[in-house]
Amino acid sequence: ALKELEVDVAMALLGLSGCADTVIGNENLKGVSGGERRRVTLGEMLVTGSQVMCCDEISTGLDSAATFDIIAYLRSAAHALQKSVIVALLQPPPEVIDLFDDIIVLAE
């Protein structure tokens, strides 16, 4: 029952409650959108019980609005569930950068 509650909270935080009974889909079967599919993967990561999530280039293939939404969801989930999230992004827009609590910039 506790795990079910955790799943419900993660779905609400990630904006997935409306598509809870929707098939994920594949190339032959229409399902959730690309942004929703990313958030489903993040939701799976949230409910595993890990205190640290590592996300590498989670914005690849998404537009800046979808990237903003996903990072905003991650921020909300990290704060609400008291988890640490490490995210690697290539050239994020300024509005996405503003969502982070701490930033490390790597350059050659």
Side-chain angles (χ1 to χ4, degrees):
L2 184 59
K3 187 54 99 174
E4 194 171 303
L5 176 63
E6 191 176 355
V7 168
D8 290 341
V9 168
M11 286 177 55
L13 286 170
L14 294 170
L16 293 170
S17 298
C19 63
D21 297 321
T22 305
V23 175
I24 298 298
N26 58 29
E27 59 275 351
N28 297 319
L29 177 66
K30 182 167 173 24
V32 296
S33 71
E36 288 169 335
R37 187 177 305 218
R38 277 299 147 91
R39 294 195 312 264
V40 167
T41 301
L42 294 173
E44 290 174 328
M45 293 170 64
L46 283 171
V47 298
T48 61
S50 173
Q51 290 301 307
V52 178
M53 290 177 49
C54 296
C55 307
D56 185 25
E57 297 186 37
I58 58 174
S59 62
T60 301
L62 299 178
D63 62 22
S64 60
T67 299
F68 180 89
D69 289 342
I70 287 175
I71 298 300
Y73 289 128
L74 271 179
R75 178 185 170 90
S76 297
H79 287 218
L81 301 174
Q82 297 182 344
K83 295 182 184 263
S84 295
V85 180
I86 300 168
V87 179
L89 294 174
L90 297 174
Q91 300 178 332
E95 60 272 9
V96 171
I97 291 172
D98 290 341
L99 293 172
F100 289 95
D101 293 330
D102 297 301
I103 296 176
I104 298 173
V105 177
L106 301 177
E108 290 186 31

